[in-house]
Amino acid sequence: MPTNNMTRLDPNSQAASRGLSDLSIRNLFIIPTIAFLIIFNIFPLLYSLGYSFTDFRASTNAPAKFVGLQNYRDLLNDPFIWKNFSITAKYVLISVTGQVVVGFGLAMLLNRAIPAKGLITTLLLLPMMLSMAVVGLFWKLLYDPNFGIINYFLGLGKFEWLADPDMALWAIAIVDIWMWSPFVMLLSLAGLSAVPKHLYEAAEIDRAGNIYTFFRITLPLVAPILMIAIIFRTMEAFKTFDLAYVLSSQPTTELIAIRLYKMAFQEWQTGMSSAFAYIVLIMVVAITNIYVKYLNKVKAR
Amino acid sequence: MKRNMSGLLAGAALSALMATSATAEDLVIFWAEWDPANFLQELVNEYEEETGISVTVETTPWADFQTKAFTEFNARGSAYDMIVGDSQWLGAASEGGHYVDLTEFFKENNLGEVMAPATVKYYAEYPGNSGKYWAIPAEGDAVGWSYRKDWFEDPAEMEAFKAKYGYDLAPPKTWAELTDIAEFFHRPDEDRYGIAIYTDNSYDAMVMGVENAIFSYGADLGNFETYEVDGYVNSDKAVAALENYKKLYSYTPPGWAKTFFVENNQAITEGLVAMSMNYFAFFPALLNEATNPHAANTGFFANPAGPDGDQFAALGGQGISVVKYSENQDMAMDFLEWFIKDETQKRWAELGGYTASAAVLESDEFRQATPYNEAFYQTMFKVKDFWAVPEFAELLTSANQRLYPFIVGDEGTAKETLDALAADWEATFKKYGRGQ
């Protein structure tokens, strides 16, 4: 027999005295949310799915013509779109790897008794509290070959961080790493402080080396929470728009989000860009699913 | 009671204020955020003094201008009564039904002759040679050049230049001279560079720069009536022009890979380069001592001729159109009647606007008003423009995708680049059923 999970309304409560039943209270909370979701999420989602099979352009009065899978075929056959995808994949890889290495490293350093730990942690968290566009603008100044402070300190002369097609993507990834490593650090710190101290004591008694302890105790116990950080960062990195848009207009830094924006709001190819957005959506869902499967496996261990 | 009275009075004052603010925005003109928009606001303030109808010039940064304007059009919004839109928008906005047809107005006022012919052709008429007009040329603009007079007139430099190239150092008359001078002044060790050009591959920035070379070399982007592009944009002349533009890129300051009008003016104000390409609309800032420490030493010249003597420049500037969804169309037409009057156009030029009125442009008074007006006058009679078809943004994207890797990234050859571009444009025109 199915059990009813709902909490029963106290017959003496104010709500009950006004005559609101359990059902109406539930509806009161749920219906606005569902309505909001349907109007602003599900309806546009389905509507744009419809558009993705047409040659509709929002900038003209011409009626949309059904073209079947033509948009999807054109997009998947366009070498420039594939270039956008491979650039994005490279960017996600560099940026997320960098954030995990730096963020986890910082967490390891902070996970010990050091003076002014709270202050240091707070200062380290500052970058991720800034707006992406602002970060992009001031890093553009920092990278400037004529007066930028980075070349000055590193003694790189007139090195062109953003103008060099091969370097530009790395330069953007470095900014992303600077900005979001603290996020990985914060989650890792939470994971690290939850590792029971007696495990380390036992390892010490067994004379286990530092490396052995790290790979056998620390990493496996922190892995689930680290995976969550990686899922978040991968999804965000995949969608990156503002940072790359502000910093550089190199073709080698044209991420899919930028291409999609141009297609939808500069070229007004509404039908084509809807199809493009669906391709991106399917990819993000697929990648996230792989991660979630892996996360469940890690948790099960 | 007293409190009640003061409340009532405050209420009355508030409603009176609101009533004035309602009449205070009789007409709204939408434009991009730059100096000419401020000059236009000054001009329309005089319209309010004459007629009591106030006009507000609403602006948005250039980067958002196209997106914001078309978002409003697509929503059939009545926020703007008139819009000073880019010349490339004519196709999209007229075919999309967003602009009011001004053909009758054009004929009644004989604007085809009142305004400089090139401005009528590119700011107002669509499709090409159709005799249908959608805008009144408002802000004439084209790409010209500024240069450092003190560097050019330095006797030691003049002597060294003559010894190296065999002719006198002076503002260039040809693209070959332009390239020589850029090479001559390019001295990275002294933190001095030859030239500043457009390289930003978003929207039409870099394309306008390349057009200057292509047009002066005697090549065209294509046939604007038949939509043929093969043999035009990838002709031998166009290939040579693109090679020359790429060569100029090697004489730019470091990091010159995403540059447009802001950076190109900075190149002069910061004392980085000998010559800088820019729209005439941005030259007033270069003569202002407050914004340019080298103002007294800054000179101007028109886009030089190519190897065969052709001399053209890429067109900037905008025409003013009436938005179809405006609720004040009649008032907007009355405003345009006032705007095209000779005395209004003359006043427009005095305030700093670049008039397209042929009579004003040809007057000595205008041509001698500033150091760059003469170059502007010469240029406005030999301008050419990008495609104005509704899918112009897609054509720009292909151009950016092909040209940028060649110019900045050093990929492929000029011929391969332009052949690929011609193929892209052919495919786009085919997709929209043009020229078949």
Side-chain angles (χ1 to χ4, degrees):
Chain A
M1 191 175 148
T3 51
N4 194 342
N5 285 334
M6 232 190 297
T7 320
R8 288 274 146 213
L9 185 64
D10 178 1
N12 299 321
S13 69
Q14 229 182 353
S17 68
R18 276 193 201 147
L20 288 174
S21 66
D22 291 357
L23 201 65
S24 13
I25 291 177
R26 187 193 67 182
N27 289 347
L28 208 64
F29 280 105
I30 291 180
I31 288 177
T33 316
I34 300 234
F36 193 84
L37 207 68
I38 290 175
I39 296 170
F40 290 104
N41 258 330
I42 301 187
F43 172 71
L45 202 69
L46 294 177
Y47 212 77
S48 63
L49 181 66
Y51 275 150
S52 75
F53 300 113
T54 67
D55 66 351
F56 179 60
R57 297 169 67 86
S59 60
T60 65
N61 283 337
K65 203 169 77 213
F66 182 78
V67 294
L69 289 172
Q70 189 62 43
N71 287 337
Y72 290 89
R73 254 200 307 271
D74 286 352
L75 284 167
L76 295 174
N77 280 323
D78 183 343
F80 286 106
I81 298 285
W82 281 106
K83 215 169 154 195
N84 295 138
F85 274 116
S86 62
I87 290 166
T88 310
K90 190 174 160 195
Y91 173 77
V92 171
L93 197 71
I94 301 170
S95 156
V96 177
T97 311
Q99 285 163 31
V100 169
V101 171
V102 175
F104 195 72
L106 284 174
M108 291 286 286
L109 285 175
L110 284 173
N111 189 38
R112 60 185 70 193
I114 48 166
K117 190 167 139 181
L119 181 70
I120 295 173
T121 314
T122 312
L123 287 177
L124 283 172
L125 288 180
L126 282 178
M128 71 181 221
M129 295 175 191
L130 299 170
S131 138
M132 292 277 246
V134 173
V135 168
L137 283 174
F138 76 65
W139 272 84
K140 202 175 168 191
L141 297 176
L142 297 179
Y143 277 138
D144 193 286
N146 290 312
F147 51 77
I149 202 163
I150 292 181
N151 281 356
Y152 178 76
F153 276 127
L154 298 180
L156 290 174
K158 298 262 172 190
F159 184 70
E160 302 179 352
W161 288 89
L162 296 167
D164 181 337
D166 300 322
M167 196 60 216
L169 193 71
W170 287 88
I172 297 167
I174 289 171
V175 180
D176 202 42
I177 293 168
W178 174 83
M179 193 171 175
W180 291 105
S181 293
F183 175 79
V184 180
M185 179 196 83
L186 200 64
L187 287 189
S188 307
L189 212 51
L192 284 172
S193 56
V195 178
K197 291 278 171 292
H198 64 82
L199 289 180
Y200 290 116
E201 285 159 14
E204 214 167 311
I205 291 165
D206 290 342
R207 296 199 170 176
N210 282 340
I211 295 173
Y212 188 85
T213 317
F214 176 78
F215 282 106
R216 284 304 167 96
I217 300 175
T218 314
L219 202 56
L221 286 172
V222 183
I225 206 158
L226 201 59
M227 277 308 293
I228 291 173
I230 293 174
I231 293 176
F232 275 123
R233 289 314 311 151
T234 306
M235 280 180 353
E236 286 288 317
F238 209 82
K239 297 189 304 191
T240 301
F241 172 79
D242 20 24
L243 209 55
Y245 194 72
V246 171
L247 277 169
S248 155
S249 68
Q250 293 277 356
T252 49
T253 61
E254 195 180 67
L255 303 170
I256 41 176
I258 294 177
R259 184 73 202 96
L260 183 55
Y261 167 78
K262 287 183 181 167
M263 197 184 273
F265 300 108
Q266 289 185 349
E267 298 163 17
W268 296 104
Q269 303 197 65
T270 318
M272 181 79 89
S273 54
S274 299
F276 192 15
Y278 264 89
I279 294 174
V280 175
L281 179 76
I282 291 165
M283 285 191 163
V284 175
V285 169
I287 295 168
T288 314
N289 258 323
I290 296 171
Y291 274 135
V292 172
K293 282 246 165 65
Y294 187 70
L295 176 68
N296 288 336
K297 224 162 92 185
V298 172
K299 269 203 212 146
R301 265 206 320 251
Chain B
M1 187 61 196
K2 199 175 172 193
R3 177 170 282 192
N4 277 349
M5 269 313 282
S6 59
L8 261 175
L9 277 175
L14 194 70
S15 46
L17 257 177
M18 282 169 72
T20 45
S21 73
T23 52
E25 292 210 350
D26 286 324
L27 282 173
V28 179
I29 301 176
F30 188 51
W31 203 359
E33 191 179 291
W34 62 333
D35 286 344
N38 301 335
F39 305 149
L40 183 64
Q41 183 65 64
E42 286 179 46
L43 182 74
V44 297
N45 288 346
E46 295 177 10
Y47 183 68
E48 186 181 0
E49 282 166 24
E50 278 180 38
T51 61
I53 297 170
S54 75
V55 189
T56 309
V57 180
E58 205 177 302
T59 60
T60 193
W62 271 109
D64 296 334
F65 186 40
Q66 198 258 138
T67 307
K68 208 167 166 185
F70 275 85
T71 307
E72 186 67 17
F73 291 160
N74 300 346
R76 318 275 181 263
S78 61
Y80 314 122
D81 301 302
M82 284 170 278
I83 191 154
V84 190
D86 256 347
S87 48
Q88 305 94 293
W89 300 1
L90 281 176
S94 62
E95 286 193 7
H98 309 310
Y99 282 173
V100 172
D101 187 343
L102 296 176
T103 310
E104 280 305 308
F105 183 85
F106 236 81
K107 284 183 185 152
E108 277 168 26
N109 295 289
N110 196 22
L111 286 180
E113 284 172 29
V114 171
M115 300 290 174
T119 66
V120 173
K121 183 175 173 190
Y122 293 112
Y123 297 141
E125 191 179 28
Y126 185 84
N129 297 333
S130 64
K132 287 184 85 67
Y133 300 98
W134 306 92
I136 311 294
E139 167 80 0
D141 202 358
V143 178
W145 295 84
S146 57
Y147 74 101
R148 284 294 295 276
K149 275 197 294 193
D150 51 340
W151 295 11
F152 274 61
E153 287 161 11
D154 181 333
E157 300 285 12
M158 289 171 85
E159 199 181 316
F161 185 88
K162 178 126 196 199
K164 187 168 177 189
Y165 297 98
Y167 60 95
D168 287 329
L169 176 60
K173 296 269 179 296
T174 64
W175 269 71
E177 290 179 16
L178 181 85
T179 314
D180 284 347
I181 298 170
E183 182 191 50
F184 177 71
F185 280 113
H186 190 67
R187 299 161 198 170
D189 300 341
E190 299 171 26
D191 213 13
R192 260 190 190 197
Y193 306 90
I195 199 162
I197 54 174
Y198 293 157
T199 56
D200 187 343
N201 64 342
S202 41
Y203 200 52
D204 65 352
M206 186 185 58
V207 175
M208 296 273 305
V210 176
E211 278 176 0
N212 277 314
I214 289 184
F215 293 154
S216 267
Y217 265 74
D220 274 308
L221 301 182
N223 184 324
F224 281 17
E225 278 163 50
T226 62
Y227 299 98
E228 271 175 276
V229 285
D230 193 33
Y232 289 86
V233 73
N234 55 351
S235 65
D236 293 342
K237 286 178 176 180
V239 169
L242 182 61
E243 277 165 355
N244 199 340
Y245 199 77
K246 184 187 163 64
K247 195 167 181 199
L248 290 183
Y249 178 68
S250 61
Y251 304 131
T252 58
W256 217 251
K258 187 183 178 169
T259 57
F260 196 21
F261 54 85
V262 174
E263 292 80 6
N264 277 18
N265 257 14
Q266 262 170 11
I268 290 288
T269 59
E270 303 288 320
L272 281 175
V273 297
M275 300 174 288
S276 173
M277 156 190 280
N278 222 340
Y279 293 106
F280 281 93
F282 297 102
F283 287 163
L286 292 184
L287 284 185
N288 184 345
E289 295 278 356
T291 47
N292 180 15
H294 313 290
N297 292 317
T298 305
F300 304 88
F301 59 89
N303 191 40
D308 302 327
D310 295 290
Q311 190 180 17
F312 294 97
L315 183 82
Q318 293 88 23
I320 186 165
S321 302
V322 179
V323 178
K324 194 71 158 278
Y325 319 108
S326 157
E327 285 154 10
N328 308 313
Q329 282 186 24
D330 292 338
M331 267 162 73
M333 296 303 285
D334 290 344
F335 171 81
L336 290 183
E337 293 266 4
W338 176 81
F339 182 73
I340 56 168
K341 283 183 189 170
D342 278 352
E343 55 272 27
T344 312
Q345 287 295 317
K346 199 165 157 240
R347 182 76 188 121
W348 174 224
E350 281 165 13
L351 286 169
Y354 281 105
T355 175
S357 155
V360 180
L361 280 176
E362 280 163 6
S363 69
D364 283 344
E365 196 185 342
F366 175 82
R367 287 163 62 181
Q368 285 158 15
T370 70
Y372 43 78
N373 275 15
E374 177 62 32
F376 177 72
Y377 161 75
Q378 288 174 14
T379 307
M380 278 323 276
F381 289 89
K382 42 196 177 191
V383 283
K384 289 188 179 186
D385 201 9
F386 194 72
W387 301 93
V389 291
E391 59 275 13
F392 75 91
E394 279 164 70
L395 302 174
L396 278 176
T397 298
S398 315
N400 284 322
Q401 283 174 336
R402 297 297 180 187
L403 296 173
Y404 191 91
F406 172 69
I407 295 167
V408 177
D410 203 15
E411 282 175 36
T413 66
K415 177 77 180 143
E416 285 164 9
T417 304
L418 292 177
D419 280 346
L421 179 59
D424 287 349
W425 280 1
E426 267 180 351
T428 306
F429 285 137
K430 198 176 156 207
K431 186 166 116 190
Y432 293 98
R434 286 187 204 284
Q436 287 163 7

